[in-house]
Amino acid sequence: MSRTTEIRWHGRGGQGAKTAALLLADVAFKTGMYVQGFPEYGPERMGAPITAYNRLSDTQIRTHSNIYTPQYVVVVDDTLLETIDVTAGLAEDGCVLVNSGKTAEELRPLLNGYKGDIKVLDACRVSMETLGKNFPNTPLLAAVVKLAGVMDEEVFLKEMRVSFEHKFARKPEVIEGNMRALEMALKEVR
C-alpha cells in the first residue's frame, strides 16, 4: 500500500516557508521518493502571508492541486494564528508544528478548537544560536521531517549537507551553522 504524506506550510513572505518546502522536496527526491513542493501566492510582498505545500510518496503522485487535508501543518510565524485558520482541513490525528517560544497549551486557544497534536519548536532561538540570524525555516524543516517520519534522520542530514554545500558553495561558513540548526531542531522539537 502506498504512503503519501501531505504537508502545508504557513508563513510570511521572506521567512523561508517556500524555500523549506522546495528543500524538503529536493532532499526527498534524492532518496528515491516521488515529490511535489510548491508555493501558493499572488502579488504578495515581504511580510504578507503565504502558503507552501509538500507531497511525498513512495508511489507516483497523480494529484496536482493544493493540499486541503494535510497530515502536517507547519506554522513559521505564530502571529499568523491570530488571523489564519492554519488547522483548516487538518485531521485530529494530524499534527500542527508551530514556531514559538510558547507551550502547546498556550497556543491551543489560538487554533480554532483543534483537538489534535500540537508540537512546538522555538525555531527563531535555534536559528539565532546556530546561525546568528533569524532563519526559522531550517530548524522547522528538520522538525517536520522528524515528526512526519518521512525519511531516516541520518539520511536527511547527509542529503541536507550535500544540498547546503551546493547552495552555499561561495559561503562555506554558512554550511556548519545550518547543519547545527538541523541537528538542534531534531533534538528539541516538543
Side-chain angles (χ1 to χ4, degrees):
M1 183 171 146
S2 78
R3 177 174 176 243
T4 299
T5 301
E6 294 183 325
I7 303 167
R8 188 173 63 217
W9 298 76
H10 292 277
R12 294 187 184 278
Q15 292 179 321
K18 173 185 134 182
T19 300
L22 296 177
L23 267 173
L24 178 54
D26 184 52
V27 168
F29 178 76
K30 289 176 183 175
T31 68
M33 297 177 80
Y34 293 89
V35 301
Q36 292 177 350
F38 54 98
E40 173 188 33
Y41 51 74
E44 283 85 346
R45 62 197 178 287
M46 185 77 72
I50 69 117
T51 309
Y53 304 92
N54 284 111
R55 271 193 191 91
L56 311 169
S57 183
D58 56 2
T59 59
Q60 187 173 3
I61 301 170
R62 299 191 185 277
T63 304
H64 298 282
S65 67
N66 290 348
I67 295 173
Y68 302 104
T69 56
Q71 290 104 336
Y72 299 89
V73 169
V74 181
V75 182
V76 181
D77 185 335
D78 65 357
T79 65
L80 291 170
L81 300 177
E82 299 167 14
T83 58
I84 296 174
D85 182 6
V86 299
T87 59
L90 181 62
E92 287 188 16
D93 64 347
C95 177
V96 61
L97 168 62
V98 183
N99 170 24
S100 183
K102 297 178 181 174
T103 66
E105 292 74 31
E106 291 172 302
L107 295 171
R108 191 171 294 281
L110 300 172
L111 295 174
N112 297 315
Y114 179 69
K115 296 184 182 355
D117 201 10
I118 301 169
K119 299 293 185 188
V120 180
L121 175 68
D122 190 345
C124 293
R125 180 190 53 76
V126 170
S127 177
M128 290 302 292
E129 285 182 21
T130 58
L131 296 165
K133 295 183 179 184
N134 187 14
F135 294 123
N137 62 333
T138 300
L140 289 168
L141 174 57
V144 77
V145 164
K146 179 175 185 161
L147 295 173
V150 292
M151 69 184 74
D152 178 78
E153 290 177 22
E154 292 304 315
V155 171
F156 168 71
L157 290 171
K158 177 180 160 270
E159 292 300 334
M160 286 302 299
R161 177 173 290 282
V162 170
S163 182
F164 287 151
E165 286 172 351
H166 175 74
K167 182 176 181 173
F168 301 120
R170 295 180 188 242
K171 296 189 275 183
E173 68 279 4
V174 176
I175 297 168
E176 291 310 314
N178 274 286
M179 292 306 299
R180 283 193 310 275
L182 294 172
E183 291 164 0
M184 186 181 280
L186 289 170
K187 292 176 187 163
E188 289 192 13
V189 65
R190 60 185 197 286

